[in-house]
Amino acid sequence: MASTTDGVLLRSKEVSTMLKQGFISDPSISPLSPSSKTLTRVSPISSPTVRSSPTLFEMMTEEQQRESREMDDKRRKSQERLSRILGEFPFVQTDDWGALGGDVKLTVSSRDGVKVVMNVHRRVLAARSGFFAEKLRHGDAHLVEICECDDVEAYLETVLLMYCEDLRRRLAREEVGKVLDLLKVSAAIKFDAGTASCLDFLEAAPWSEDEEKKVVAILGELQLNDSAFEVLERISAEPSTSATADGIFLQLMSGVLQAKDDKARREMKALISGLLKDETSHSGNKIDVSREILYNLCHRCISSLFLCLTEADAMDESRRDRGALMAEIGREADNLQWVVDIMINKKMVEDFVKLWADQKELAALHSKIPSMYRYEISKVTAQLCVAIGRGQILVSREARFSLLCTWLEALYEDFGWMKRASRSLDRKLVEDGLSQTILTLPLAQQQMILLKWFDRFLSRGDDCPNIQRAFEVWWRRTFIRQHVSENGQSQLHITVCDYPT
């Protein structure tokens, strides 16, 4: 009984599947004839007609139609603005200017065919514009035409300004770009009151960076001399000198280094660094932060670090908060890294490599302090190795070797803490920089450094920088790709080289 039921269910599913796939018709719609024993496939729903891609002619036609619509829309909006301006002229039902509706016909036309004709008043135009006074100096003159102007709207609005009693109030609602257009027309037609009012507006109004460029460009073109002085005072002053600039730079950067609020100090470091990098990317005459200022700050940071490490070395655990001292050391080391980064970008860091290599007394103190207090200092060494490895610093091999002799052991010791405590540390970047720096040295010095690293890495593992790439290159240089002298004999031998005493 169960098998019969299963068979019925199976056949029912097969029929349902065939109905869905279109092999047989749905009985509720079109029953099959009892005598029919052939399965007939019903055609599926026809696919929509695929439209062919437009031809080049159709594309060109559509583009022309689009441009035509845009031009029509532009003309319509321009006509609306012109109509609005003309509607504001105070000619309606009044003869306060000497003639009802105006006694001079003024025509203004542009290069693209826009033309406006209006009746204006001789008394107003001649009194307020040197240009119109010249054109209307003859009593019988009743027609003035201005052809091929750049901006018909600006001309009409400038003429409208001549009828205003309070120009400041009229301009107060305008934008900087519009006032610049009015200024150009006012200067061109010698409308002195309009020019002065536009300059007053520009002196008081805020500018965006784009507007600032336009203001400077247009005032330069118009050559208004003393009239524009107050406007340009916002962006210019007495010529700066290196001495005055150094004073400002020293004040700003010293303030950052001595900041009490860590968040504010980080934000101002990023701001100053960004501004100095932006200055580097611009050519032309400019006053930049001087080498003397940067090295002055470096010496300050090194002196502060020396005092901090001296205090840490003599510290009585019961009398001083270790956390506060650790934070102070970290802050001074971070300050030094910031200044060094600026010097790297300014290509002024070569002498600092020698200065840092000479800090043997600081390195000796460093070795007496637990890594958790001092690891930030080793970031300076890592920073220099990365720059040397990238070719950003070109110094003598004596300076490079001296740098590693003084600080490499400290970097090894602190590397584990650097990885764990510094989220921003790029381990691979440091390891690549260190590898490249070592490989710039003579082969004997490479050998000495890398054999010592080999032993340390075997004992310290992941807490030691992995510079096996440098080890591989040294190996190939020493044992595989030996350079041969002119007599055909290799001049390279395994040598022993010690740190200088």
Side-chain angles (χ1 to χ4, degrees), residues 273-274 276-277 280 288 294 338-349 383 387 392-393:
S273 294
L276 291 176
K277 288 178 182 177
T280 302
D288 202 355
L294 295 174
W338 178 58
V339 179
V340 170
D341 183 64
I342 292 173
M343 291 196 297
I344 290 173
N345 285 309
K346 299 289 182 186
K347 297 180 174 60
M348 299 178 182
V349 76
Q383 186 180 17
Q392 294 174 303
I393 305 176

Side-chain angles (χ1 to χ4, degrees), residues 409 412-413 452-461 464:
E409 288 294 326
Y412 286 162
E413 291 290 337
K452 285 180 175 291
W453 166 82
F454 187 82
D455 292 337
R456 177 180 289 274
F457 189 76
L458 289 176
S459 62
R460 299 292 296 274
C464 180

Side-chain angles (χ1 to χ4, degrees), residues 380-397:
V380 177
T381 306
Q383 186 180 17
L384 294 176
C385 288
V386 169
I388 292 172
R390 287 175 165 177
Q392 294 174 303
I393 305 176
L394 301 176
V395 293
S396 67
R397 65 183 181 183

Side-chain angles (χ1 to χ4, degrees), residues 279-500:
E279 286 297 317
T280 302
S281 65
H282 288 80
S283 59
N285 296 325
K286 62 182 179 62
I287 296 178
D288 202 355
V289 60
S290 70
R291 179 187 181 281
E292 288 71 24
I293 292 297
L294 295 174
Y295 276 88
N296 180 303
L297 296 173
C298 284
H299 281 289
R300 286 191 194 181
C301 293
I302 291 174
S303 297
S304 297
L305 283 173
F306 188 84
L307 291 175
C308 288
L309 293 184
T310 301
E311 184 177 353
D313 183 40
M315 183 175 57
D316 182 351
E317 295 185 12
S318 63
R319 297 182 59 187
R320 176 69 189 263
D321 182 3
R322 285 181 173 270
L325 182 58
M326 183 169 63
E328 189 174 348
I329 294 173
R331 182 167 55 251
E332 292 298 338
D334 182 66
N335 285 341
L336 183 57
Q337 293 166 39
W338 178 58
V339 179
V340 170
D341 183 64
I342 292 173
M343 291 196 297
I344 290 173
N345 285 309
K346 299 289 182 186
K347 297 180 174 60
M348 299 178 182
V349 76
E350 287 76 10
D351 288 338
F352 180 79
V353 176
K354 302 172 187 176
L355 174 64
W356 191 241
D358 289 340
Q359 301 304 310
K360 292 179 173 53
E361 194 174 355
L362 182 64
L365 271 174
H366 180 278
S367 65
K368 299 176 183 180
I369 310 301
S371 291
M372 64 181 294
Y373 293 99
R374 71 189 192 195
Y375 71 89
E376 289 281 357
I377 299 175
S378 289
K379 286 185 179 180
V380 177
T381 306
Q383 186 180 17
L384 294 176
C385 288
V386 169
I388 292 172
R390 287 175 165 177
Q392 294 174 303
I393 305 176
L394 301 176
V395 293
S396 67
R397 65 183 181 183
E398 290 79 14
R400 300 194 302 272
F401 186 57
S402 179
L403 172 69
L404 296 179
C405 288
T406 304
W407 289 107
L408 185 56
E409 288 294 326
L411 178 59
Y412 286 162
E413 291 290 337
D414 294 344
F415 193 72
W417 266 95
M418 287 169 61
K419 288 191 311 172
R420 289 188 291 272
S422 300
R423 295 181 180 178
S424 61
L425 180 74
D426 188 332
R427 172 176 179 167
K428 186 176 185 306
L429 186 67
V430 173
E431 291 171 339
D432 287 347
L434 182 56
S435 295
Q436 292 286 11
T437 301
I438 294 170
L439 292 173
T440 64
L441 299 173
L443 198 59
Q445 293 175 350
Q446 295 178 38
Q447 173 186 310
M448 179 273 296
I449 293 173
L450 291 169
L451 290 180
K452 285 180 175 291
W453 166 82
F454 187 82
D455 292 337
R456 177 180 289 274
F457 189 76
L458 289 176
S459 62
R460 299 292 296 274
D462 205 40
D463 277 348
C464 180
N466 189 338
I467 54 175
Q468 59 179 297
R469 176 183 172 278
F471 190 87
E472 292 171 2
V473 174
W474 163 78
W475 181 281
R476 286 193 292 271
R477 288 173 175 176
T478 303
F479 300 112
I480 300 175
R481 293 201 305 255
Q482 293 188 9
H483 291 277
V484 180
S485 63
E486 292 181 1
N487 60 10
Q489 298 297 320
S490 171
Q491 301 298 308
L492 296 180
H493 305 280
I494 300 299
T495 60
V496 177
C497 179
D498 294 324
Y499 285 109

Side-chain angles (χ1 to χ4, degrees), residues 57 59-70:
F57 176 76
M59 293 172 63
M60 292 175 63
T61 302
E62 184 177 351
E63 178 67 16
Q64 290 174 351
Q65 291 174 344
R66 184 185 64 79
E67 291 178 355
S68 178
R69 289 193 298 270
E70 290 178 353

